[in-house]
mmCIF file of all heavy atoms in Angstrom:
data_model
loop_
_atom_site.group_PDB
_atom_site.id
_atom_site.type_symbol
_atom_site.label_atom_id
_atom_site.label_comp_id
_atom_site.label_asym_id
_atom_site.label_seq_id
_atom_site.Cartn_x
_atom_site.Cartn_y
_atom_site.Cartn_z
ATOM 1 N N ALA A 29 111.719 33.998 -12.936
ATOM 2 C CA ALA A 29 110.341 34.237 -12.640
ATOM 3 C C ALA A 29 109.999 35.601 -12.041
ATOM 4 O O ALA A 29 109.074 36.317 -12.401
ATOM 5 C CB ALA A 29 109.763 33.194 -11.781
ATOM 6 N N ARG A 40 107.895 20.533 -21.929
ATOM 7 C CA ARG A 40 108.648 19.381 -21.550
ATOM 8 C C ARG A 40 109.812 19.795 -20.620
ATOM 9 O O ARG A 40 110.461 20.840 -20.843
ATOM 10 C CB ARG A 40 109.284 18.565 -22.687
ATOM 11 C CG ARG A 40 110.303 17.509 -22.231
ATOM 12 C CD ARG A 40 110.777 16.685 -23.330
ATOM 13 N NE ARG A 40 109.711 15.802 -23.924
ATOM 14 C CZ ARG A 40 109.815 15.039 -24.952
ATOM 15 N NH1 ARG A 40 110.910 15.029 -25.706
ATOM 16 N NH2 ARG A 40 108.775 14.253 -25.352
ATOM 17 N N ILE A 54 110.348 21.627 -9.097
ATOM 18 C CA ILE A 54 109.596 22.718 -9.599
ATOM 19 C C ILE A 54 108.235 22.205 -10.157
ATOM 20 O O ILE A 54 107.385 23.058 -10.565
ATOM 21 C CB ILE A 54 110.367 23.388 -10.724
ATOM 22 C CG1 ILE A 54 110.600 22.465 -11.897
ATOM 23 C CG2 ILE A 54 111.601 24.031 -10.131
ATOM 24 C CD1 ILE A 54 111.364 23.174 -13.106
ATOM 25 N N SER A 56 106.376 20.073 -8.279
ATOM 26 C CA SER A 56 105.733 19.607 -7.127
ATOM 27 C C SER A 56 104.510 20.494 -6.665
ATOM 28 O O SER A 56 103.768 19.965 -5.739
ATOM 29 C CB SER A 56 106.750 19.569 -5.988
ATOM 30 O OG SER A 56 107.124 20.857 -5.484
ATOM 31 N N GLN A 67 116.758 26.514 -0.187
ATOM 32 C CA GLN A 67 118.209 26.369 -0.572
ATOM 33 C C GLN A 67 119.022 27.392 0.268
ATOM 34 O O GLN A 67 120.168 27.137 0.668
ATOM 35 C CB GLN A 67 118.451 26.566 -2.022
ATOM 36 C CG GLN A 67 117.806 25.522 -2.899
ATOM 37 C CD GLN A 67 118.457 24.182 -2.674
ATOM 38 O OE1 GLN A 67 119.652 24.129 -2.370
ATOM 39 N NE2 GLN A 67 117.663 23.120 -2.850
ATOM 40 N N THR A 97 139.773 5.861 -23.837
ATOM 41 C CA THR A 97 138.942 5.547 -25.033
ATOM 42 C C THR A 97 138.175 6.769 -25.415
ATOM 43 O O THR A 97 137.745 7.485 -24.631
ATOM 44 C CB THR A 97 138.000 4.299 -24.823
ATOM 45 O OG1 THR A 97 137.219 4.122 -26.023
ATOM 46 C CG2 THR A 97 137.094 4.445 -23.641
ATOM 47 N N ALA A 101 130.223 4.987 -25.602
ATOM 48 C CA ALA A 101 129.692 3.734 -24.924
ATOM 49 C C ALA A 101 130.644 3.050 -24.018
ATOM 50 O O ALA A 101 130.210 2.596 -23.041
ATOM 51 C CB ALA A 101 129.076 2.815 -26.115
ATOM 52 N N LEU A 163 108.906 8.157 -8.598
ATOM 53 C CA LEU A 163 109.670 9.390 -8.843
ATOM 54 C C LEU A 163 110.906 9.425 -7.978
ATOM 55 O O LEU A 163 112.028 9.829 -8.521
ATOM 56 C CB LEU A 163 108.820 10.587 -8.518
ATOM 57 C CG LEU A 163 109.482 12.012 -8.737
ATOM 58 C CD1 LEU A 163 109.838 12.110 -10.167
ATOM 59 C CD2 LEU A 163 108.524 13.098 -8.243
ATOM 60 N N VAL A 173 126.045 9.457 -8.624
ATOM 61 C CA VAL A 173 127.420 9.841 -9.176
ATOM 62 C C VAL A 173 128.334 8.567 -8.951
ATOM 63 O O VAL A 173 128.491 8.073 -7.939
ATOM 64 C CB VAL A 173 128.010 11.041 -8.459
ATOM 65 C CG1 VAL A 173 129.354 11.450 -9.070
ATOM 66 C CG2 VAL A 173 127.031 12.276 -8.556
ATOM 67 N N ILE A 182 116.499 -0.947 -9.699
ATOM 68 C CA ILE A 182 115.147 -0.776 -10.265
ATOM 69 C C ILE A 182 114.825 -2.035 -11.047
ATOM 70 O O ILE A 182 115.422 -2.217 -12.133
ATOM 71 C CB ILE A 182 114.870 0.451 -10.971
ATOM 72 C CG1 ILE A 182 115.241 1.700 -10.099
ATOM 73 C CG2 ILE A 182 113.416 0.473 -11.510
ATOM 74 C CD1 ILE A 182 115.136 3.050 -10.880
ATOM 75 N N GLY A 184 115.669 -5.020 -10.735
ATOM 76 C CA GLY A 184 116.826 -5.861 -10.909
ATOM 77 C C GLY A 184 117.937 -5.307 -11.807
ATOM 78 O O GLY A 184 118.974 -5.985 -12.109
ATOM 79 N N LEU A 208 115.454 26.255 -23.267
ATOM 80 C CA LEU A 208 116.373 26.818 -22.363
ATOM 81 C C LEU A 208 117.054 25.733 -21.589
ATOM 82 O O LEU A 208 116.545 24.803 -21.104
ATOM 83 C CB LEU A 208 115.546 27.647 -21.309
ATOM 84 C CG LEU A 208 116.336 28.308 -20.145
ATOM 85 C CD1 LEU A 208 117.310 29.378 -20.770
ATOM 86 C CD2 LEU A 208 115.468 29.017 -19.200
ATOM 87 N N VAL A 209 118.397 25.903 -21.591
ATOM 88 C CA VAL A 209 119.286 24.899 -21.032
ATOM 89 C C VAL A 209 119.998 25.525 -19.783
ATOM 90 O O VAL A 209 120.688 26.627 -19.971
ATOM 91 C CB VAL A 209 120.367 24.304 -22.011
ATOM 92 C CG1 VAL A 209 121.282 23.358 -21.317
ATOM 93 C CG2 VAL A 209 119.692 23.875 -23.193
ATOM 94 N N ALA A 217 129.882 18.200 -25.100
ATOM 95 C CA ALA A 217 129.128 17.918 -26.297
ATOM 96 C C ALA A 217 128.310 19.144 -26.815
ATOM 97 O O ALA A 217 128.080 19.276 -28.028
ATOM 98 C CB ALA A 217 128.246 16.723 -26.093
ATOM 99 N N ARG A 226 118.837 24.388 -36.171
ATOM 100 C CA ARG A 226 117.598 24.059 -36.947
ATOM 101 C C ARG A 226 116.721 25.293 -37.197
ATOM 102 O O ARG A 226 116.618 26.216 -36.286
ATOM 103 C CB ARG A 226 116.840 23.014 -36.205
ATOM 104 C CG ARG A 226 117.663 21.685 -35.965
ATOM 105 C CD ARG A 226 116.899 20.651 -35.152
ATOM 106 N NE ARG A 226 117.825 19.531 -34.827
ATOM 107 C CZ ARG A 226 117.398 18.403 -34.371
ATOM 108 N NH1 ARG A 226 116.075 18.238 -33.974
ATOM 109 N NH2 ARG A 226 118.280 17.372 -34.024
ATOM 110 N N PHE A 244 130.451 27.771 -5.984
ATOM 111 C CA PHE A 244 130.468 26.342 -6.058
ATOM 112 C C PHE A 244 131.639 25.803 -5.225
ATOM 113 O O PHE A 244 131.598 24.712 -4.652
ATOM 114 C CB PHE A 244 130.628 25.873 -7.428
ATOM 115 C CG PHE A 244 129.380 25.989 -8.382
ATOM 116 C CD1 PHE A 244 128.258 26.705 -7.890
ATOM 117 C CD2 PHE A 244 129.297 25.402 -9.577
ATOM 118 C CE1 PHE A 244 127.156 26.865 -8.677
ATOM 119 C CE2 PHE A 244 128.132 25.568 -10.455
ATOM 120 C CZ PHE A 244 127.117 26.304 -9.921
ATOM 121 N N TRP A 276 112.071 33.266 -25.059
ATOM 122 C CA TRP A 276 111.065 32.277 -24.593
ATOM 123 C C TRP A 276 109.653 32.786 -24.853
ATOM 124 O O TRP A 276 108.857 31.875 -25.287
ATOM 125 C CB TRP A 276 111.163 32.197 -23.076
ATOM 126 C CG TRP A 276 110.429 31.080 -22.366
ATOM 127 C CD1 TRP A 276 109.221 31.149 -21.741
ATOM 128 C CD2 TRP A 276 110.788 29.685 -22.331
ATOM 129 N NE1 TRP A 276 108.909 30.000 -21.228
ATOM 130 C CE2 TRP A 276 109.801 29.016 -21.571
ATOM 131 C CE3 TRP A 276 111.811 28.989 -22.852
ATOM 132 C CZ2 TRP A 276 109.828 27.606 -21.332
ATOM 133 C CZ3 TRP A 276 111.913 27.615 -22.581
ATOM 134 C CH2 TRP A 276 110.947 26.938 -21.792
#
Side-chain angles (χ1 to χ4, degrees):
R40 172 175 290 175
I54 64 176
S56 69
Q67 293 296 326
T97 175
L163 182 62
V173 182
I182 299 175
L208 177 64
V209 182
R226 303 180 184 185
F244 290 7
W276 190 260

